[in-house]
Amino acid sequence: MIRLLSLFESSNFQWVFISTILLGMAAGMVGVMSNLRQQGLMSDAISHAALPGVILAFLLTGEKQLPVLIIGAGISGLIAAFFIYGIEQSTRIKRDAAMGIILSVFFGGGIMLLSIANRSGGGQSGLDSFIFGQAASMVRSDTYVMGGLALLVMLLIFVFFKQWKVVLFDPQHANMMGINAHLFSSLYTFLLVLVIVIVIQAVGVILMAALLIIPALSARYWTHSLLILFLLSGFFGGFAGAAGTLISSSESNLPTGPFIVVTSSGIFILSLFFGAEKGLFHLKRYINKTALQSDGTSGGDEK
Amino acid sequence: MECIFITQKQFQKLCKRMVNKVTALSVKNLSSAYQKKVVLDSLTFSIEEGTLTGVVGPNGAGKSTMIKAILGLQPRMTGSIEFFNGKEKKLTNRLGYVPQRGAVDWDFPTNVLDVVTMGLYGQIGWFHYPGKKHRKLAIEALEKVNMAEYANRQISQLSGGQQQRVFLARALVQDADLYFMDEPFAGVDAKTEKTIISVLKELKSKGKTVLVVHHDLQTVPAYFDHVLLLNKQLIAYGPTEETFTKTSLKKTYGGEIHWMGSDQIAESL
């Protein structure tokens, strides 16, 4: 415990800590949109597909500059998303299969490139940390960029909250109301890719889903309000990010991703059982309550 | 005798309206395809203001597609659409659309009042949020469909008929002039059916124009004053008593229709 607290004496760690909280929050909020669009796995596919971009950017520039690597990740993630939508629309292949193809091809390509990079760089490239994540390896200037972009993502979600709500619930109705659902759909894909690339360093490409899918799912057990869902999912994501960073930084060379997964799945299990709106224990109470109510007032409204 | 004074301009407007009725919707040569298969084949018709039209045709006839193509929710290959004799424009607040219930995920985290308020988003403006005034309008719309007591209910807890009435309220709150409804009567309970009928009557009495995709042939003459028969092509359009005939129905449904007695119709699909 004391060792954990002593981490905060380093100002670099303070910045890493704050930025992973922001990253976790942004990922948790974008995850709400992914879940409501029933595209949870899309984020997993895009994050796996970001790996070859990272390695290619490194091989081309020969430097491990996080902003450059992130641009590489973003480009290859967007290409993957484009391919998935393209395959789905122009062939008979369904989306899940399209995601499976793209995920494995891109990730396999990424691992292949990584082995090339490691051989030429004598295994010292440090690119391995992109697979399972290593928040502690971020430097201070990186945390400014990442944290700033995370804030931008959250800002875009809250400024257009009303629009997101109607686009997520009923895109056709959004169009009827003069809100271009297609435009917001593209903005969502942009936000998703942006969140994935800024979180890559901290969580790694393999376990990205832990920050994007699980916090949003957990939050759904506590509320029926979209606004609270966003806030709560952001909170869970931020908490998981913080816990993961803290534990992994306590020893050298511990990956961050697995600890984030452990924390966020812990939150999920608690929510599953005790969630105030949909949790298993609560549901039982709810059923009892409504059974009593409908006994008293048989309105005959339901068919 | 009671006198009403109106300005000359108002008088002219009134006369014009009495002499030549306004066309609410005019569709010219509308075609649409879905994955290279033609679903709608050059439809041309125009619908007068204040009419209640039933859109009838077999499954896969393109009824929903037609509505979506008219509203610009579905790409069209050819054709032009004109609303209220004007040039084609996005008439956000004058057009209302009631989609099929299955079009959305009813497990979405929101409540009934929220969904109905979404009908006002076109009027609220991009960076404003619904206020007291809008909430009042939404409650009024819910009252019209007998759903006011469910205002704070989670939408996941509604029955099919209640979901349909919520969608109806969302369109009503808009106070549009031209409504498109996609199978509002499909699989609803008796109470909902009654509510929808009374809403349709009220809309008609207010001079609104309504197009309703409808499946139950038996109720067509009772519900609608006009009927549009569709099977990829336009088979017939006109007042129900003239258009809703044995010959034109046979043309619409091919051999799939059987006649029970003299004028009773049953569908066998």
Side-chain angles (χ1 to χ4, degrees), chain A residues 36 38 159-163 165 169-170 172-173 175-177 184 220 224 226 229 278 286 301, chain B residues 68 92 104-105 107 109-110 114 118-119 121-122 125-126 128 150 154 157 162 165 170 174 189 191:
Chain A
L36 291 176
Q38 280 147 21
V159 167
F160 296 114
F161 178 72
K162 192 181 77 183
Q163 283 79 5
K165 189 185 219 169
F169 175 60
D170 188 349
Q172 287 186 338
H173 182 70
N175 281 324
M176 292 295 298
M177 294 287 105
F184 273 91
R220 192 67 183 89
H224 283 308
L226 185 62
L229 186 62
K278 288 180 126 190
Y286 171 71
D301 203 45
Chain B
K68 285 182 195 163
T92 309
V104 301
D105 171 19
D107 203 29
T110 189
D114 241 14
M118 283 182 198
Y121 278 15
W126 269 65
H128 292 87
Y150 294 93
Q154 282 312 307
Q157 295 167 12
Q162 290 167 340
R165 280 184 273 157
R170 183 180 70 176
Q174 252 184 282
D189 51 300
K191 186 181 177 184

Side-chain angles (χ1 to χ4, degrees), chain A residues 223-296:
Chain A
T223 178
H224 283 308
S225 147
L226 185 62
L227 182 66
I228 297 174
L229 186 62
F230 270 116
L231 294 172
L232 205 57
S233 177
F235 174 75
F236 288 160
F239 184 82
T245 307
L246 207 55
I247 299 168
S248 75
S249 304
S250 61
E251 298 270 345
S252 65
N253 277 326
L254 280 183
T256 326
F259 292 103
I260 292 183
V261 176
V262 170
T263 315
S264 71
S265 26
I267 296 172
F268 175 75
I269 289 165
L270 282 178
S271 308
L272 176 68
F273 285 109
F274 304 110
E277 290 295 344
K278 288 180 126 190
L280 291 176
F281 288 122
H282 185 83
L283 201 64
K284 255 183 208 152
R285 252 187 298 152
Y286 171 71
I287 290 165
N288 287 341
K289 215 170 79 186
T290 44
L292 284 173
Q293 274 176 351
S294 59
D295 279 346

Side-chain angles (χ1 to χ4, degrees), chain A residues 197-216:
Chain A
V197 300
I198 59 179
V199 179
I200 270 185
Q201 173 82 69
V203 189
V205 294
I206 292 189
L207 298 170
M208 184 68 67
L211 266 191
L212 273 161
I213 302 176
I214 302 178

Side-chain angles (χ1 to χ4, degrees), chain A residues 19-42:
Chain A
S19 79
T20 46
I21 290 177
L22 291 175
L23 291 173
M25 286 168 71
M29 288 180 191
V30 171
V32 169
M33 299 204 268
S34 307
N35 279 355
L36 291 176
R37 291 172 62 107
Q38 280 147 21
Q39 288 183 359
L41 269 182
M42 189 71 181

Side-chain angles (χ1 to χ4, degrees), chain B residues 33-67:
Chain B
Y34 182 71
Q35 292 194 339
K36 289 175 190 162
K37 242 169 86 186
V38 176
V39 195
L40 293 176
D41 191 3
S42 44
L43 309 181
T44 301
F45 59 91
S46 52
I47 286 175
E48 250 173 40
E49 200 173 24
T51 55
L52 199 52
T53 304
V55 179
V56 176
N59 287 331
K63 304 182 294 285
S64 303
T65 311
M66 181 187 83
I67 288 186

